[in-house]
Amino acid sequence: MQQKADEIVKTLKSKGLRVTPQRFAVYANLLEREDHPTVEQILTNLNQDAPTSSQATVYAALQALREVGLVREVLLEEGVSRYDANVAPHHHFRCNCCGAIEDIDWNTFQCIDLSKLRLGLKAERYEVTVQGSCDRCQVKYEV
Amino acid sequence: MQQKADEIVKTLKSKGLRVTPQRFAVYANLLEREDHPTVEQILTNLNQDAPTSSQATVYAALQALREVGLVREVLLEEGVSRYDANVAPHHHFRCNCCGAIEDIDWNTFQCIDLSKLRLGLKAERYEVTVQGSCDRCQVKYEV
DNA sequence: CTTTGTGCAAACGATTTGCAGGATG
DNA sequence: CATCCTGCAAATCGTTTGCACAAAG
């Protein structure tokens, strides 16, 4: 645990970010969960025992983390942004029923051929978004 | 032109929607453009000569059109929703420089094998989002 | 004539911003 | 000790809502 904390500090410093308790907490929280939380969810999680960060600070921390490439914003839902500390390229699955978001391994889809794009467009990255229903929600339907 | 208008009226009626000038205008506008406009852009476009629709009405019209499946909401950008009258499945290209959005033909990417998804997830649809720079923005860089 | 849509303005919710004090390197 | 961060509250922006009036079928 301590080692992990040290690693986080090292990572933040290596990106030129000042290490504050709030920034640390936001990043650590994002690293240990994989559900692409919203700002509100992060905030609730961080302050559940004792108040540690204010809303504006979480926004600021996320922006800083995003600028140095440690965190990505994920747009899969109207109204709210979600955040992801998994910066490696990957795809997303979204449950249309409960809204849950899950990562899909990058290698799951192999055959996307960007050279087929219209001449003139220069692709830099891509991502597949799959929508459907997750285990839990399929069960719901069957009851 | 008249024929096109008749078709739009027929389409709206066939979906059980009352045909109002505002609804007609919103849908016709979406049909004739392919840039996935925001509400603000639609509004500006509709009211450029004379005021025809209010903001709340455009929102209401879009919601009605969405409910009957004539229009889709497109989420590719923070903060704003964009709308698309192309309901057939297709992919999207987004220019990271100017924000332009362009459709990519569904057949461009053939090999996505949804059976490779984790057991338990039931896929209903998917879509590929490509990011990069468009013709115009590449030129900009070269100058 | 009944139902539904429109337009205005107020309400809302997520995100941003200004600024005074506080912590970081 | 200079710089940058935090926290609060006010401000902003896209979107939604309540309601009186108007239009559609």
Side-chain angles (χ1 to χ4, degrees):
Chain A
M1 210 65 224
Q2 184 50 45
Q3 188 173 7
K4 210 171 192 176
D6 285 350
E7 259 175 53
I8 294 179
V9 170
K10 209 190 295 175
T11 305
L12 294 174
K13 283 192 174 163
S14 76
K15 294 288 186 177
L17 291 183
R18 279 193 184 180
V19 180
T20 68
Q22 293 83 348
R23 223 168 244 180
F24 178 93
V26 168
Y27 188 49
N29 190 255
L30 270 180
L31 279 177
E32 77 190 16
R33 52 201 295 186
E34 46 207 58
D35 59 343
H36 309 67
T38 63
V39 169
E40 197 193 353
Q41 292 171 331
I42 297 171
L43 209 48
T44 304
N45 209 306
L46 293 185
N47 294 341
Q48 59 186 355
D49 299 324
T52 66
S53 319
S54 79
Q55 198 186 45
T57 302
V58 171
Y59 275 105
L62 286 171
Q63 191 178 323
L65 290 165
R66 206 144 42 102
E67 278 169 5
V68 301
L70 288 179
V71 160
R72 279 207 319 184
E73 190 180 32
V74 181
L75 297 175
L76 288 174
E77 197 173 341
E78 337 164 31
V80 259
S81 291
R82 294 178 167 276
Y83 297 89
D84 189 355
N86 178 2
V87 187
H90 61 276
H91 309 293
H92 284 117
F93 178 90
R94 169 167 201 266
C95 177
N96 285 323
C97 171
C98 67
I101 291 169
E102 185 172 312
D103 285 351
I104 300 175
D105 194 77
W106 180 251
N107 297 316
T108 306
F109 308 122
Q110 305 263 9
C111 325
I112 292 184
D113 184 0
L114 290 179
S115 71
K116 284 179 157 184
L117 277 184
R118 200 198 98 214
L119 219 68
L121 300 184
K122 193 174 140 208
E124 284 159 12
R125 64 153 63 137
Y126 70 92
E127 173 177 324
V128 179
T129 304
V130 182
Q131 294 188 47
S133 49
C134 67
D135 325 56
R136 228 179 328 172
C137 291
Q138 288 173 55
V139 172
K140 241 188 263 174
Y141 285 132
E142 285 163 16
V143 174
Chain B
M1 212 60 223
Q2 183 53 43
Q3 189 172 8
K4 210 171 193 174
D6 286 350
E7 260 175 52
I8 293 178
V9 170
K10 209 189 298 173
T11 306
L12 293 174
K13 283 191 175 163
S14 75
K15 293 289 184 176
L17 290 183
R18 280 195 184 176
V19 179
T20 67
Q22 293 83 349
R23 226 169 241 180
F24 179 93
V26 168
Y27 187 48
N29 190 256
L30 269 181
L31 278 176
E32 76 190 16
R33 50 199 299 187
E34 48 207 58
D35 60 341
H36 309 66
T38 64
V39 168
E40 197 193 354
Q41 291 171 330
I42 296 172
L43 209 48
T44 306
N45 210 306
L46 292 185
N47 293 342
Q48 57 186 356
D49 300 325
T52 65
S53 319
S54 79
Q55 197 187 46
T57 302
V58 172
Y59 275 106
L62 287 170
Q63 190 177 323
L65 290 164
R66 207 144 41 104
E67 277 169 6
V68 299
L70 288 179
V71 160
R72 278 208 320 184
E73 189 181 32
V74 181
L75 296 177
L76 289 173
E77 198 172 340
E78 337 163 30
V80 259
S81 290
R82 295 178 167 276
Y83 296 90
D84 189 356
N86 178 4
V87 186
H90 61 276
H91 309 291
H92 285 117
F93 178 89
R94 170 166 202 268
C95 177
N96 285 323
C97 171
C98 68
I101 290 170
E102 185 171 316
D103 284 351
I104 301 175
D105 194 76
W106 180 251
N107 297 315
T108 306
F109 307 122
Q110 306 262 12
C111 321
I112 292 184
D113 184 0
L114 290 180
S115 70
K116 285 179 158 183
L117 278 183
R118 198 198 99 212
L119 219 66
L121 300 183
K122 193 175 139 207
E124 282 158 13
R125 64 153 62 137
Y126 70 91
E127 173 177 322
V128 179
T129 304
V130 183
Q131 294 190 47
S133 49
C134 68
D135 324 57
R136 228 181 325 172
C137 290
Q138 288 173 56
V139 171
K140 239 188 264 174
Y141 285 133
E142 284 163 16
V143 173

